[in-house]
Amino acid sequence: MQVHDSRQRYCLGIEATADDFSVGILGFDGKVLANIIDVFLSETGGIHPREAARHHAEVAGTVVSRAFQQAGITPKDVTIVAFSQGPGLGPCLRTGATVARALAAYLSVPLVGVNHSVAHIEIGKLKTGARDPVALYVSGGNTIVAAFECGRYRVFGETLDIALGNCLDVFAREAGLRHRRGMPFGAALEQLAAKGEKLIALPYTVKGMDLSLSGLLTAAVTLLRKGECKLEDLCYSLQENAFSMVTEVTERALAHTEKKEVLLTGGVAANKRLQTMLKAIAEEHDARFSVVPREFATDNGAMIAWTGVLAYRHGVVTPVEESFVKLRWRLDRVDVPWLK
Ligand code: AMP
Ligand code: MG
């Protein structure tokens, strides 16, 4: 329980782009008072958008109450409500937006629509002290190398097909691993990969500054089904290839921009092997490496609340009639007036 400060202003942030429904409460000074995450777990481990949205609607009331309880403030203390407006899965986004609109209207406070990808970078900066990094944002739905240039985060490289987290998750599911609370597929795969010894040849596809992971996934699944390789070796080889690809693109963005920081963010940032690879290239370029803390790596409401505060302080509010969700809202389409 936190001690309520009556001079402080607070933002409540709602995240619901995919499988997580999360509510964060944060002071305008950046102090996180609450960050409750309720993840949708299906039988198969996949995300069916409408089933995930139903989960979000069912847990929303409880998650909001738990967030207030953890924060030690009451609803009337909230100054603004922020929500993830995109990109993401339509039914999930709409559920989050509906909860946000209802809360903002009930509390008579402004609504701020936040870009989910920008939020992953901003929470990474807040939590690590990075100021102007080349960011590698890797999650279940996104794989982007970005850095701030001329008023916006610019995309220097990205996946041409599936996201890194998705690649790991699909392989893990094929291999019969279980997705459990506190142990996502990627983490289960990481444990097996640590026991791998033999590097198996798999496709490595970097095209210019972009990369492709679907060929790698198909080849790994094909070998898995043949049953001739040890699962540990396959997990190890899949990780080595996929992580080398994103590291190569990040290194080139670093060389091009001559920035002095590398930030790793998004759910896959929890992976120790990926952290090691990125740290190595950062050091080679005399850049500081930082990684978002685990609690803020996966989708979370605190990152939405923080980005809402940054935007609101620079005059951004989202009228209800403009609060429709944007399923493909690209990172490089968002003005970030709080950065110079
Ligand atoms: P997000 O989409 O940001 O909520 O992050 C979820 C993604 O992060 C999923 O694809 C997870 O499998 C992945 N993930 C979580 N922990 C790890 C880990 N230790 N290693 C690799 N991937 C992970
Ligand atoms: Mg998620």
Side-chain angles (χ1 to χ4, degrees):
M1 172 78 82
Q2 310 276 339
V3 179
H4 174 223
D5 176 354
S6 60
R7 291 159 305 176
Q8 180 64 269
R9 294 190 294 167
Y10 300 98
C11 176
L12 180 145
I14 297 177
E15 158 59 32
T17 53
D19 57 342
D20 299 287
F21 183 85
S22 175
V23 174
I25 297 176
L26 181 136
F28 273 41
D29 58 359
K31 190 166 170 213
V32 177
L33 303 186
N35 194 30
I36 308 287
I37 304 170
D38 193 317
V39 61
F40 164 70
L41 294 173
S42 69
E43 281 294 309
T44 57
I47 311 174
H48 188 297
R50 281 198 305 278
E51 282 177 18
R54 191 179 311 128
H55 160 268
H56 297 348
E58 278 168 13
V59 303
T62 315
V63 174
V64 169
S65 304
R66 283 174 60 205
F68 277 116
Q69 213 171 17
Q70 190 177 73
I73 68 165
T74 64
K76 68 173 175 25
D77 299 316
V78 170
T79 314
I80 54 170
V81 172
F83 71 105
S84 47
Q85 199 171 0
L89 306 173
C92 303
L93 283 169
R94 278 179 218 110
T95 305
T98 304
V99 176
R101 285 184 208 111
L103 270 174
Y106 176 69
L107 300 171
S108 300
V109 297
L111 191 61
V112 181
V114 165
N115 179 284
H116 175 87
S117 307
V118 169
H120 270 289
I121 297 176
E122 291 301 345
I123 196 73
K125 286 162 63 184
L126 175 73
K127 287 288 158 192
T128 65
R131 295 171 65 91
D132 183 24
V134 167
L136 173 61
Y137 161 38
V138 275
S139 68
N142 293 281
T143 299
I144 297 174
V145 177
F148 180 77
E149 294 279 351
C150 304
R152 287 189 178 180
Y153 284 109
R154 306 288 167 177
V155 175
F156 284 84
E158 61 192 317
T159 179
L160 296 169
D161 40 48
I162 56 173
L164 179 57
N166 188 232
C167 174
L168 302 176
D169 292 353
V170 172
F171 181 82
R173 237 171 38 221
E174 284 285 332
L177 305 184
R178 291 284 308 276
H179 182 187
R180 300 191 303 272
R181 212 168 286 277
M183 175 62 87
F185 280 131
L189 192 138
E190 180 181 16
Q191 284 186 352
L192 284 173
K195 294 184 203 137
E197 288 165 342
K198 187 173 159 216
L199 190 62
I200 299 162
L202 289 170
Y204 182 100
T205 319
V206 173
K207 298 182 179 180
M209 286 295 283
D210 295 326
L211 53 102
S212 159
L213 292 160
S214 60
L216 169 64
L217 174 61
T218 306
V221 168
T222 305
L223 284 175
L224 175 74
R225 288 183 183 159
K226 278 192 182 152
E228 291 164 7
C229 304
K230 271 176 66 187
L231 179 58
E232 287 83 355
D233 291 339
L234 267 177
C235 291
Y236 168 64
S237 308
L238 178 67
Q239 275 201 176
E240 289 301 298
N241 263 42
F243 294 172
S244 299
M245 286 187 221
V246 292
T247 303
E248 179 187 332
V249 174
T250 309
E251 179 172 23
R252 283 212 245 127
L254 193 60
H256 175 77
T257 58
E258 298 185 346
K259 303 239 183 219
K260 287 291 152 217
E261 294 163 298
V262 175
L263 171 69
L264 176 58
T265 192
V268 187
N271 190 289
K272 292 274 184 277
R273 178 63 184 138
L274 180 58
Q275 292 174 13
T276 305
M277 283 193 190
L278 281 168
K279 189 163 183 281
I281 58 119
E283 279 171 3
E284 267 177 39
H285 291 261
D286 289 326
R288 174 177 170 255
F289 172 69
S290 43
V291 55
V292 70
R294 189 178 276 265
E295 180 192 352
F296 302 99
T298 194
D299 295 340
N300 66 90
M303 71 181 191
I304 302 300
W306 175 235
T307 312
V309 169
L310 294 172
Y312 179 72
R313 278 202 196 125
H314 285 80
V316 179
V317 292
T318 308
V320 169
E321 60 275 19
E322 290 170 25
S323 66
F324 47 84
V325 299
K326 306 174 188 179
L327 277 57
R328 298 185 186 280
W329 194 14
R330 280 181 64 87
L331 175 73
D332 48 11
R333 294 292 159 118
V334 188
D335 288 325
V336 284
W338 57 91
L339 296 177
K340 295 258 169 12

